[in-house]
Amino acid sequence: MRMQKRGQITLFVIISIVIIGALIIFFSVSNTGKGLVDRVTGAEFDPYASLVSCVENNNAINPKISEILVQGGDSNPQHFALYKNNKLKYLCYTNQFYDRCVMQEPFVLQKTEKEIQQQTQKQIESCVEELKSQLNARGYSSNFGRLNYSASIVPDNIILNIGLPLSISRGETSKNYQTPFEVRKKSEAYNLIMIANSILNFEARYGAADIGEFMALYPDIRIEAQKQTDGSVFYLLSSRSTEEQFSFAVRSVAFPPGYGL
Amino acid sequence: MKNNLTKKRALAEFEMFLLVASIISFSALLSGIYSAKEVSAISLPSSSAEQCCLTTKQGASCIDLPLSDACKEQCSGTCQQTSCSEVSECKSGCGFDKENGLCTPNTPKKACDESPSCEFFDDAFCNINECQKGCCILGTNSMLEKLSKVQGVPSEFHLDTPDELQCISLSQNANTGACVFGDSEEPSCKFTTKSDCESTIKGIFYQDYLCSNPELKTKCEKQKSTSCVEGKDGVYWFDSCGNQENIYSSDKIRSWNNGKVLSKEQSCNPNSANADSANCGNCNYELGGICGESRTGTDTKPTYGNYVCRDLNCKDAPDNGGGKANRINGESWCVFDGPVGTGSIASGKSSSGLGDILQGITLGGEIGLMSTDLVGSRHFRYVCQNGEVVSEPCADYRKEICVQNKKSLDNGKQIDEALCRVNMWEQCISLNGGIGSLAGQMTGGAPTVCGPECLFQCIRNPDCRLQPVLVDTDFWFTACVPKYPPGFDLGETSGLSGLASSGLSSALGSAGGIGEIAGSALGSLGGGNSGGSSAQQVCSVGTQTCTAIYVKMCPGGWKCVKNCQCEEIGFTLQMNNLCASLGDCGVYANIAGQATGLGAIITKKGSHGKTPPQPFILIPLYMALAKILKGQPSNGGFFNNVGGILQLPLYGISSMFGMTLSDLSPSVGMNFLGRASAGFNPAFTAGATGAGAYAGAATSMSLFGPSSIIGFTGAFIGAAIVIGIMYLLGCGEVEKVEIKFECKPWDRPFGDGKGIFDFGKGSGCDFCNKDPLKICSKYRCESLGTRCTLINENTGEDKCVSIEGEATIPIITPWEEILNKTFFKYQDSSTNGFRVRTSEGECIQAFTPVVFGVKTDVYSQCRWDIKQTGFENMSYEFFESGKFTKNHTLSTVLPSVESLVAGETGSVEEFNEAMSNQSLKNSLLNALGDMNIYVKCANLDGKANDQDYKINFCVKPGPDLTPPVVIATAPAENSVVAFNATEQETLFYINEPAECKWDLIRPNSPTLENYNSMANTLTCDTNMSSQNILGFPCIATLPVVSGENKYYLLCRDQPWLEDNSSRNLGASAGKEYEYILKTSASTLEISELKPEGIITRGTEPVSVTLEAETSGGADSGNSVCYYSLNESNGYIRFFETATNKHKQILTSMTKGDYTLKVKCIDVSGNVGVKTSSFSLQLDGVAPEVTRVFYNSGTLTLNTNEDSICHYGDSVGCIFDANSSVMNGANSKSHTASIEKNSTYYILCEDIWGNKKSGCSIELTPYQT
């Protein structure tokens, strides 16, 4: 009898621990739970902080940026050379022998920014949706303006500029958020692209850029130039500190094999 | 007597003389003639040879595609019927990004138009003001940037510091110190520059003070942590406020320096990299140390903090010959696959430098001298980069070479510095002269190869060297050859390069049925490898014949009296060395050290003497050379640094045979593309197509002698005939023995290339994959074996593998499609062979060209011979040469008995005597009536069929009843010659040996009397050895007068019959042949030449466009033009030329006065010359106001140059893009409506961006 009683008590204790644990998880993790807590406590919710947190923690954004950089600033290059399963975009190209290449993508920086913006748009929008559900769960009524999203590549960072006019209200309190905000991602992309630009300028003017000089001036950037038999050169630029890579292909002032008669 | 006859018959039958007369260097001759337009002085395409595709299906923009279906297939839009340079959307210019201040050269206009922030400038090299760079200093950071990018940002901008290194140095040398600001009780501090402190932070600046200096009473505590500083090498102390202090040293007191700045030179161990030093953070990147966080297990743990100087040097870096060496960070050096440059078998040395010059000058050197780069080899540049050895391969096929120099560091240490640069091999070949005239060639005159000018230029060029061949007193010459011979596309070597039937007939002006037969039959051989290397063509220039002379002594027998050394090993060695120095030719070794022996062969024509040892016996020698000799880098002469490379002109390589006028000889320095030198006979080459082109081709193609071009025919006829005839006639006086060295493309090892002897180095296809620093390429892989092929090419996963399959012994069958069924057929085909007969089943008429071939079921190489022997010993190849194909082509022209005998006898008496010998005649008839060649084919593994495949021919006997026919001419009929030409050397090809005459008056009828009365005689070569697929060449120098010139030709065949009436007379269908030449309607004029006068620009360097327009001449002004700005450097071909508009952009001009000389030459040799002068001036001065007046509310202002004037009320004239601009922008007169009694500030800026600091003028209009 005594044993049965002890067993019952033990069982109730276990069940109660499980219930409490579930409740803790519910209120701390799920949006609904959090919303209830906020409602009860009246705590203020910072939508922008939430949005920033969502973007920063989104695991899909960084791989997309890496893919764009490694393909010469293009998410899906049409004119490319295949190198180790990567499509290296031809940023400067000619099909002739002895001729200087013609720039195929004059503004690589702008193009890369645009590609990043286009390829990460969905992730940003999903964060916005997430924000909406969080606000709802917390009992806010919200009015979202038009999402204005762009990406900028600046020294040391890739800045995701999110413009999202927003007004929220709960009870008698209401707030307006008009100022766009930024999510900064540490990145050497700017330096990589600027050096790529210099290399392209040299190739377009003279052909055959000398990478040794660039590497001496920028020791943190590793530059490989792989010359191919058809006259193309694959440039692989990588940051020693962040391991990011920007790569592209060029074909300029190519010579035919042998006597070329 | 009877025994002797029997013996001779047996010999004749044994030696199976076959008149496969036209196993000539078919491609050499015919492609030389076919490509007359390319090989001549001028290459003139008709209208536009290209179409412009704005966007290809692959997404490429503004691509020129050939005039063919290729454009439609590859272009996603419409193909423009002109080249991209003529399409406005594809016009190249400078794309200036207004938003970001970036400049992009050579940008098509359409790409710029697609971007809203792009502004398009015409200068494709971006030599515009907006793109001028200067040094921008922001705080302690610096950046070399364009002015446009930094405007509006507070900074220092130095236009006079365009160099990146100087810019970095400027920022680092800027005065730094503590900037104290904020609360006076406990002020804050930032370590920065004076300008930053005063203008931005607005603090008090203490130069050379650290923020932790107690005198400043800041809250910053000293030496709290260590870290790296961006842009600097060393490890630095940081105070508690995060300010940089001095360089880290474990001696804290010393490194704090009492709170004052301590320079790098005064810090610990300034002349050392301090790599892995726990106590000193004074890293030196140049010496191999840089600041980085200490990595456990890799770097030393510093005494204080977590940062240390990381060792960036490379220990035990790979070097040449398998060696290793320590290299410091940034050092670069050359690594090779084996020996490179000039080497000597005798001395065992491989290098280049002073020794080569001496050897060249003395013309002696060592007999083993040769260019030693192995087949398949490549030059590599290794770099030690941050502790890692990185390989940078120079361009494949040795299009680039690696050159190396010593560089001194600041601490006095010397390191290596290497560079890949263009291999200037073309200049070497083009420096050689050649045979001065076709006449000389036909008569076998001694070749002139490398004359004094050639010697001088050859020695000057660091990529060229002299190759002496000194065999005997009458067989010696020197050639200028590449030091680093270029590689060929080994998988694509072909003997049919660039041939097509249409081009053939147009170049030759074929006449007569036979010519058409030849043309159509040969046309089917067209295609080939027009875009790639013509290895057969190139190697054939190393084919040379040495003629030894034997005299019959009575008594004593035959004795050699001249060029006897040609029968010895020295001839073989020296000729093969020359052959291998031209490119991938001859007997030589590959990168795995495997040598093959089929790239050269020696044949002897003549019954006396001996054949010298075959080149394949040199295989062990070259294998040893490949293994033992180490490559030594050269210093590269000029163009050995990046700056030198930029001097290389940037335009398409012209044909190295293109330049023929002696007064347009190029400078070696200025024109790395090279052209044929003034060795050509200018008069002969006037009227470039046809004869001139042929000579040009012949001269360029054959450095050394005529025989390689015209080829040899009936090689073995003489062997049997001569014995019989000379013996029958008694003591012959002199006999020539021709020893021919035939240089052919290098043969790849069979199979996967695994050799019996690999000396531990490894061989086979996998050899290419062994070294990760020497990436495998198609060229390297294919050089290892016939089965070796590169997979995953250019993907980074390249691998050389051995292909399987095609291992069966080839089965040979007749190739039906190649045979012209209208005239011929294959008869009695079986597994053992077939017969070639006329379509009626009869023997073939003498002197009829026949093209035929065989097919194999697997890819194979085929060879043939007149005797049954093994594949390796067969002397002759099919047209496909060493290429593995399934179709194999041959051609022949069968002579008559009489022509054979005539070729070997010296007089009519001898001929008659020989012909009266009935049994000899019968034996010859029998032989000609039943001639066999034996064919064998080998698969990729070298396995050939054991049984010979026999191809049988017969010549129709009987008297020659057909008159001779002119098959082809060069230049073609109705060609246009120069306006002021007075004569034209012309080639006529006759289908059989004949004597020909010509006259300006048409003979009434083709009778002997009329023939004899013709005024002029052509020089005709009736030797069988001079015969080719087109027949026998005759040459004449025809006088030319203005307008149309008609010439009439008549020929008599069978010259050996002399006055015998049975000789046939004719030249075209039994009558005379009419040949027409026309002179150009006018001379070639340069109607327009720019620039002229004064050119003003804003900045240097300046882009100047040279433009010329030509008119008149032979082809409406279409010509090739050359320019010279400095005559001592010679003339350089315009980049855009070969039409009547010519253009050249010079991108690096500086101010000064220039004299521009232009010379143009058209297809007929008309020359136009013009000179202009221009002056480049820089305008760096702001516009001045010259006059101003005000009337009725309108202000009028005049400036001394075109400008744009801003006006407003801004004191100090600080205007932005929105400020008011006076009317008349970019002119000298400006107006604006302004109010009186108000003060206006006006600033004028010229088109180069020059403007005053402050205002151009301030004014207040008053009522008068």
Side-chain angles (χ1 to χ4, degrees):
Chain A
M1 191 68 173
R2 203 170 170 185
M3 290 294 285
Q4 281 180 343
K5 198 175 176 183
R6 272 196 191 166
Q8 280 181 3
I9 292 169
T10 307
L11 193 62
F12 289 143
V13 168
I14 290 169
I15 290 170
S16 63
I17 289 171
V18 168
I19 290 169
I20 291 167
L23 283 171
I24 290 170
I25 291 169
F26 172 72
F27 284 111
S28 65
V29 175
S30 75
N31 287 337
T32 312
K34 282 189 210 173
L36 282 170
V37 168
D38 283 348
R39 278 189 195 175
V40 167
T41 61
E44 277 201 26
F45 174 66
D46 185 350
Y48 276 5
S50 170
L51 192 55
V52 167
S53 171
C54 173
V55 172
E56 281 177 349
N57 295 327
N58 191 306
N59 292 331
I61 290 179
N62 283 347
K64 285 204 182 290
I65 293 174
S66 296
E67 187 190 18
I68 290 167
L69 290 177
V70 93
Q71 291 184 159
D74 201 321
S75 59
N76 186 23
Q78 296 303 304
H79 188 214
F80 61 89
L82 202 61
Y83 180 76
K84 288 189 176 174
N85 294 326
N86 290 320
K87 295 179 185 177
L88 268 55
K89 183 174 179 174
Y90 273 104
L91 294 181
C92 195
Y93 179 81
T94 177
N95 62 338
Q96 306 286 324
F97 287 113
Y98 318 118
D99 261 359
R100 292 169 294 119
C101 61
V102 172
M103 281 293 182
Q104 302 295 302
E105 195 61 71
F107 305 120
V108 180
L109 187 70
Q110 285 179 345
K111 169 72 176 176
T112 310
E113 288 172 340
K114 198 172 169 190
E115 286 287 313
I116 291 174
Q117 179 254 309
Q118 284 173 349
Q119 294 302 310
T120 55
Q121 179 91 16
K122 274 193 184 149
Q123 283 69 34
I124 303 300
E125 284 169 357
S126 76
C127 282
V128 171
E129 289 304 314
E130 167 86 7
L131 175 63
K132 283 181 186 171
S133 65
Q134 282 185 352
L135 286 169
N136 285 339
R138 282 165 173 75
Y140 284 95
S141 60
S142 56
N143 192 10
F144 284 79
R146 195 176 162 200
L147 173 65
N148 184 9
Y149 167 59
S150 66
S152 304
I153 300 175
V154 297
D156 295 333
N157 286 289
I158 293 177
I159 301 174
L160 307 179
N161 304 293
I162 303 174
L164 185 65
L166 168 66
S167 59
I168 58 173
S169 61
R170 185 173 67 177
E172 290 179 358
T173 55
S174 65
K175 278 193 176 169
N176 281 321
Y177 299 88
Q178 298 295 324
T179 311
F181 62 95
E182 300 172 345
V183 176
R184 288 179 168 249
K185 289 190 167 290
K186 266 290 196 196
S187 172
E188 286 288 315
Y190 183 84
N191 283 342
L192 293 172
I193 293 174
M194 286 295 111
I195 293 172
N197 216 45
S198 294
I199 292 172
L200 286 166
N201 280 7
F202 200 99
E203 288 276 359
R205 288 178 196 228
Y206 311 113
D210 176 36
I211 57 173
E213 208 168 308
F214 289 110
M215 286 197 291
L217 292 169
Y218 305 102
D220 285 339
I221 306 291
R222 188 170 186 272
I223 307 173
E224 274 181 72
Q226 301 277 355
K227 283 181 192 157
Q228 308 303 312
T229 45
D230 68 341
S232 298
V233 181
F234 298 162
Y235 284 101
L236 314 168
L237 283 62
S238 53
S239 165
R240 292 181 201 278
S241 51
T242 64
E243 301 292 330
E244 285 166 293
Q245 182 175 316
F246 185 86
S247 45
F248 58 97
V250 171
R251 190 173 187 275
S252 185
V253 192
F255 295 86
Y259 285 70
L261 289 170
Chain B
M1 185 76 163
K2 194 175 178 182
N3 282 341
N4 288 335
L5 283 174
T6 308
K7 193 176 173 183
K8 292 313 144 196
R9 182 182 300 162
L11 273 170
E13 286 172 354
F14 177 75
E15 292 232 4
M16 298 311 298
F17 50 84
L18 176 68
L19 305 181
V20 189
S22 301
I23 308 303
I24 54 171
S25 194
F26 182 46
S27 64
L29 170 65
L30 288 179
S31 64
I33 293 171
Y34 159 66
S35 57
K37 285 180 185 154
E38 294 143 13
V39 182
S40 69
I42 305 110
S43 171
L44 299 180
S46 58
S47 61
S48 172
E50 290 165 326
Q51 292 174 299
C52 180
C53 175
L54 296 184
T55 311
T56 66
K57 285 178 180 164
Q58 289 88 10
S61 302
C62 295
I63 299 294
D64 280 316
L65 293 168
L67 252 179
S68 64
D69 291 335
C71 195
K72 286 179 199 161
E73 285 164 20
Q74 295 178 42
C75 195
S76 66
T78 318
C79 292
Q80 310 294 320
Q81 297 301 315
T82 183
S83 65
C84 287
S85 58
E86 303 295 325
V87 177
S88 60
E89 287 146 300
C90 291
K91 185 183 169 188
S92 274
C94 178
F96 173 59
D97 181 356
K98 290 181 285 196
E99 239 174 61
N100 294 300
L102 293 171
C103 296
T104 318
N106 216 26
T107 301
K109 191 166 189 301
K110 90 181 203 17
C112 190
D113 290 344
E114 284 164 10
S115 175
S117 65
C118 179
E119 189 176 347
F120 187 79
F121 291 86
D122 284 337
D123 190 330
F125 292 86
C126 289
N127 288 334
I128 56 175
N129 240 33
E130 287 79 352
C131 298
Q132 202 185 2
K133 283 194 182 181
C135 181
C136 169
I137 297 181
L138 196 63
T140 53
N141 293 316
S142 62
M143 183 186 284
L144 201 66
E145 255 316 331
K146 297 168 216 33
L147 176 62
S148 49
K149 214 172 166 190
V150 299
Q151 278 174 346
V153 176
S155 62
E156 294 173 38
F157 191 78
H158 300 261
L159 258 177
D160 55 352
T161 314
D163 181 75
E164 207 131 1
L165 270 174
Q166 285 181 43
C167 185
I168 291 171
S169 168
L170 262 183
S171 68
Q172 288 175 351
N173 293 337
N175 291 335
T176 52
C179 181
V180 180
F181 61 97
D183 185 2
S184 56
E185 292 282 324
E186 204 174 28
S188 297
C189 183
K190 184 181 176 189
F191 189 79
T192 184
T193 60
K194 183 179 179 185
S195 61
D196 189 40
C197 181
E198 289 174 354
S199 56
T200 311
I201 301 173
K202 312 254 191 258
I204 303 169
F205 182 72
Y206 295 88
Q207 186 164 324
D208 293 336
Y209 272 69
L210 301 178
C211 281
S212 53
N213 192 311
E215 291 177 26
L216 303 178
K217 296 189 174 73
T218 66
K219 56 185 176 183
C220 303
E221 294 173 28
K222 69 177 181 185
Q223 293 175 328
K224 278 296 170 192
S225 62
T226 62
S227 187
C228 303
V229 173
E230 193 177 322
K232 296 192 177 175
D233 299 342
V235 181
Y236 285 79
W237 282 112
F238 281 75
D239 63 23
S240 58
C241 299
N243 293 306
Q244 175 199 326
E245 293 188 314
N246 291 323
I247 288 174
Y248 162 77
S249 168
S250 56
D251 184 348
K252 281 186 162 186
I253 296 169
R254 183 167 179 264
S255 64
W256 189 60
N257 195 33
N258 293 321
K260 294 274 184 74
V261 169
L262 189 67
S263 68
K264 186 175 169 66
E265 292 71 33
Q266 292 167 325
S267 300
C268 55
N269 294 344
N271 296 320
S272 168
N274 292 302
D276 275 336
S277 169
N279 301 313
C280 180
N282 196 0
C283 318
N284 189 319
Y285 182 74
E286 218 178 57
L287 296 176
I290 197 158
C291 175
E293 199 166 350
S294 171
R295 297 164 293 189
T296 313
T298 308
D299 304 307
T300 306
K301 180 90 178 68
T303 308
Y304 296 102
N306 289 323
Y307 288 81
V308 73
C309 295
R310 289 185 181 173
D311 188 1
L312 301 176
N313 296 328
C314 301
K315 291 191 178 74
D316 293 331
D319 207 344
N320 279 303
K324 292 187 188 301
N326 290 336
R327 301 283 184 178
I328 72 164
N329 183 46
E331 189 173 358
S332 54
W333 64 103
C334 296
V335 173
F336 310 102
D337 282 315
V340 295
T342 313
S344 166
I345 297 168
S347 71
K349 289 178 194 160
S350 165
S351 77
S352 50
L354 187 60
D356 305 324
I357 297 174
L358 290 176
Q359 285 176 357
I361 290 172
T362 59
L363 294 184
E366 301 163 37
I367 62 167
L369 202 66
M370 64 179 299
S371 301
T372 55
D373 285 73
L374 301 172
V375 179
S377 67
R378 191 172 186 175
H379 292 206
F380 295 86
R381 175 179 177 253
Y382 284 9
V383 185
C384 176
Q385 266 181 41
N386 291 13
E388 190 186 339
V389 176
V390 174
S391 163
E392 183 193 309
C394 301
D396 214 352
Y397 301 97
R398 294 184 295 280
K399 289 181 280 189
E400 282 185 345
I401 58 169
C402 183
V403 295
Q404 186 174 303
N405 274 301
K406 289 288 182 193
K407 175 185 164 182
S408 293
L409 299 178
D410 291 339
N411 63 359
K413 187 175 175 179
Q414 285 216 317
I415 60 169
D416 288 324
E417 187 181 40
L419 180 72
C420 288
R421 66 146 172 86
V422 168
N423 180 2
M424 299 181 289
W425 56 265
E426 283 193 55
Q427 291 191 349
C428 313
I429 301 293
S430 68
L431 286 175
N432 292 287
I435 294 171
S437 69
L438 185 59
Q441 193 180 120
M442 288 173 59
T443 56
T448 51
V449 182
C450 194
E453 175 68 15
C454 163
L455 289 176
F456 175 68
Q457 297 284 8
C458 193
I459 292 168
R460 274 184 66 196
N461 191 321
D463 291 353
C464 302
R465 64 174 194 86
L466 294 171
Q467 177 76 29
V469 175
L470 311 162
V471 177
D472 210 321
T473 50
D474 285 301
F475 188 81
W476 64 272
F477 52 87
T478 304
C480 187
V481 298
K483 206 178 274 181
Y484 313 97
F488 296 139
D489 193 344
L490 296 172
E492 291 297 326
T493 54
S494 163
L496 301 170
S497 173
L499 187 62
S501 60
S502 58
L504 174 67
S505 54
S506 69
L508 295 174
S510 63
I514 295 176
E516 285 161 14
I517 292 168
S520 66
L522 298 171
S524 66
L525 302 175
N529 191 19
S530 58
S533 61
S534 302
Q536 178 75 34
Q537 222 172 350
V538 168
C539 296
S540 67
V541 304
T543 297
Q544 178 64 322
T545 302
C546 174
T547 306
I549 305 295
Y550 277 78
V551 174
K552 180 158 184 182
M553 307 297 190
C554 291
W558 290 97
K559 195 175 176 188
C560 178
V561 297
K562 212 170 221 192
N563 286 340
C564 311
Q565 291 301 313
C566 291
E567 296 174 3
E568 305 301 330
I569 182 70
F571 174 79
T572 306
L573 178 65
Q574 292 192 63
M575 288 306 298
N576 193 71
N577 285 349
L578 168 66
C579 179
S581 298
L582 293 169
D584 290 339
C585 308
V587 173
Y588 201 49
N590 63 11
I591 52 173
Q594 300 300 319
T596 60
L598 297 178
I601 193 164
I602 296 177
T603 53
K604 183 173 76 76
K605 181 181 161 189
S607 52
H608 298 288
K610 59 176 182 179
T611 307
Q614 291 292 341
F616 63 72
I617 68 159
L618 301 172
I619 287 178
L621 187 65
Y622 292 120
M623 286 178 69
L625 184 146
K627 304 286 186 183
I628 295 165
L629 290 185
K630 291 182 194 178
Q632 296 293 331
S634 77
N635 65 10
F638 48 83
F639 304 137
N640 63 351
N641 52 52
V642 175
I645 284 179
L646 297 182
Q647 295 175 40
L648 295 176
L650 302 162
Y651 44 86
I653 287 186
S654 59
S655 163
M656 58 184 183
F657 312 115
M659 196 50 242
T660 60
L661 284 187
S662 57
D663 55 351
L664 291 181
S665 58
S667 153
V668 165
M670 282 302 291
N671 182 6
F672 81 107
L673 303 171
R675 291 190 194 93
S677 72
F680 290 108
N681 180 340
F684 176 60
T685 56
T689 52
Y694 172 77
T699 315
S700 299
M701 293 307 294
S702 169
L703 298 175
F704 317 117
S707 54
S708 60
I709 294 301
I710 300 175
F712 62 92
T713 70
F716 292 90
I717 302 165
I721 297 291
V722 165
I723 293 172
I725 292 175
M726 299 308 278
Y727 193 89
L728 288 173
L729 297 177
C731 280
E733 288 189 357
V734 170
E735 183 189 322
K736 291 181 192 174
V737 173
E738 291 182 351
I739 299 161
K740 180 177 176 180
F741 182 95
E742 195 176 343
C743 179
K744 297 187 283 185
W746 183 81
D747 226 36
R748 299 154 70 185
F750 281 116
D752 62 4
K754 282 203 171 97
I756 301 170
F757 307 107
D758 67 6
F759 298 97
K761 207 174 170 186
S763 56
C765 307
D766 198 47
F767 180 84
C768 200
N769 308 317
K770 284 199 165 128
D771 191 340
L773 288 176
K774 291 181 179 175
I775 56 166
C776 193
S777 66
K778 181 171 179 284
Y779 176 52
R780 288 170 73 77
C781 179
E782 286 178 349
S783 73
L784 294 169
T786 50
R787 285 196 174 276
C788 296
T789 192
L790 188 74
I791 56 173
N792 305 329
E793 190 176 355
N794 294 340
T795 62
E797 309 287 347
D798 309 55
K799 197 173 177 185
C800 186
V801 297
S802 175
I803 52 169
E804 303 299 325
E806 302 277 323
T808 55
I809 305 289
I811 296 172
I812 306 171
T813 52
W815 184 9
E816 298 283 347
E817 291 81 3
I818 194 74
L819 192 69
N820 189 329
K821 297 285 173 57
T822 310
F823 301 103
F824 307 105
K825 68 175 180 183
Y826 296 133
Q827 218 173 36
D828 302 330
S829 295
S830 70
T831 53
N832 295 326
F834 57 88
R835 298 174 194 269
V836 181
R837 297 286 184 269
T838 63
S839 50
E840 290 84 26
E842 293 180 355
C843 289
I844 299 169
Q845 189 76 29
F847 302 113
T848 306
V850 184
V851 180
F852 62 99
V854 298
K855 281 192 337 195
T856 48
D857 61 329
V858 296
Y859 287 98
S860 49
Q861 252 182 15
C862 289
R863 304 173 72 84
W864 66 271
D865 209 317
I866 58 168
K867 55 186 185 300
Q868 288 172 287
T869 182
F871 176 83
E872 313 73 37
N873 299 324
M874 287 186 151
S875 305
Y876 306 103
E877 289 177 329
F878 285 66
F879 283 157
E880 287 76 12
S881 189
K883 196 172 174 183
F884 284 83
T885 61
K886 290 185 176 176
N887 296 332
H888 310 270
T889 319
L890 271 180
S891 70
T892 180
V893 174
L894 305 171
S896 62
V897 169
E898 290 81 3
S899 64
L900 287 177
V901 173
E904 298 302 328
T905 51
S907 65
V908 176
E909 291 75 28
E910 282 180 7
F911 173 79
N912 288 335
E913 194 165 347
M915 289 304 294
S916 64
N917 186 321
Q918 199 57 39
S919 68
L920 175 67
K921 192 173 171 186
N922 287 341
S923 71
L924 292 176
L925 278 170
N926 288 337
L928 281 176
D930 184 21
M931 292 177 293
N932 292 315
I933 63 167
Y934 300 95
V935 177
K936 279 186 174 165
C937 299
N939 65 10
L940 290 169
D941 295 317
K943 291 185 186 143
N945 37 310
D946 291 325
Q947 181 114 6
D948 291 303
Y949 191 80
K950 192 166 73 177
I951 303 176
N952 177 271
F953 303 87
C954 67
V955 178
K956 192 172 182 180
D960 181 358
L961 300 174
T962 53
V965 176
V966 174
I967 293 189
T969 64
E973 292 167 15
N974 296 304
S975 288
V976 178
V977 298
F979 175 76
N980 52 7
T982 55
E983 58 185 26
Q984 174 66 46
E985 218 159 9
T986 309
L987 263 176
F988 298 87
Y989 283 94
I990 319 299
N991 69 312
E992 55 176 316
E995 289 168 334
C996 298
K997 286 189 160 190
W998 69 270
D999 207 320
L1000 295 172
I1001 302 165
R1002 183 194 286 272
N1004 293 330
S1005 54
T1007 61
L1008 184 59
E1009 191 184 345
N1010 288 336
Y1011 171 81
N1012 287 331
S1013 66
M1014 291 176 96
N1016 308 289
T1017 306
L1018 283 84
T1019 305
C1020 292
D1021 192 336
T1022 55
N1023 285 326
M1024 296 309 294
S1025 61
S1026 305
Q1027 184 190 11
N1028 56 56
I1029 192 66
L1030 294 173
F1032 294 81
C1034 292
I1035 189 170
T1037 303
L1038 305 175
V1040 173
V1041 297
S1042 176
E1044 189 179 74
N1045 296 261
K1046 286 186 181 175
Y1047 313 90
Y1048 300 93
L1049 197 81
L1050 261 182
C1051 297
R1052 282 182 87 194
D1053 63 8
Q1054 305 173 79
W1056 48 83
L1057 296 179
E1058 291 205 344
D1059 290 324
N1060 193 315
S1061 58
S1062 62
R1063 294 177 69 180
N1064 303 297
L1065 203 60
S1068 173
K1071 297 199 291 187
E1072 71 281 356
Y1073 174 71
E1074 184 183 76
Y1075 180 70
I1076 298 173
L1077 286 177
K1078 296 171 193 164
T1079 56
S1080 307
S1082 61
T1083 56
L1084 183 68
E1085 298 284 340
I1086 300 176
S1087 48
E1088 201 177 318
L1089 185 60
K1090 293 179 197 172
E1092 220 169 7
I1094 296 174
I1095 300 169
T1096 306
R1097 293 284 187 272
T1099 57
E1100 276 179 344
V1102 178
S1103 295
V1104 173
T1105 303
L1106 309 180
E1107 286 173 283
E1109 199 169 319
T1110 45
S1111 59
D1115 189 14
S1116 306
N1118 286 331
S1119 54
V1120 173
C1121 290
Y1122 303 81
Y1123 71 92
S1124 169
L1125 286 172
N1126 179 349
E1127 243 184 306
S1128 65
N1129 284 340
Y1131 283 80
I1132 303 167
R1133 183 176 159 134
F1134 275 74
F1135 184 56
E1136 291 176 25
T1137 186
T1139 61
N1140 65 332
K1141 288 193 165 80
H1142 317 270
K1143 194 169 162 185
Q1144 172 71 51
I1145 300 175
L1146 302 173
T1147 63
S1148 304
M1149 301 286 288
T1150 52
K1151 65 181 180 190
D1153 298 325
Y1154 295 90
T1155 302
L1156 172 67
K1157 292 187 181 178
V1158 172
K1159 287 187 182 180
C1160 300
I1161 179 167
D1162 71 9
V1163 64
S1164 296
N1166 293 301
V1167 177
V1169 174
K1170 194 160 185 175
T1171 302
S1172 85
S1173 302
F1174 64 93
S1175 178
L1176 270 181
Q1177 294 178 357
L1178 292 182
D1179 179 2
V1181 178
E1184 297 282 348
V1185 174
T1186 55
R1187 190 177 175 219
V1188 58
F1189 58 91
Y1190 177 74
N1191 188 22
S1192 303
T1194 301
L1195 174 75
T1196 305
L1197 183 143
N1198 292 345
T1199 49
N1200 65 338
E1201 57 175 319
D1202 291 344
S1203 48
I1204 181 170
C1205 293
H1206 299 263
Y1207 73 101
D1209 57 6
S1210 168
V1211 177
C1213 286
I1214 300 173
F1215 296 115
D1216 58 22
N1218 297 323
S1219 63
S1220 302
V1221 174
M1222 295 181 78
N1223 297 325
N1226 294 324
S1227 71
K1228 293 192 179 74
S1229 182
H1230 313 268
T1231 58
S1233 297
I1234 59 173
E1235 293 172 5
K1236 58 181 189 288
N1237 299 328
S1238 297
T1239 301
Y1240 289 89
Y1241 301 87
I1242 300 173
L1243 176 64
C1244 294
E1245 181 181 346
D1246 69 14
I1247 56 174
W1248 313 115
N1250 297 310
K1251 59 186 176 189
K1252 285 188 171 180
S1253 59
C1255 296
S1256 300
I1257 189 169
E1258 301 169 14
L1259 53 86
T1260 308
Y1262 290 98
Q1263 183 67 52
T1264 57

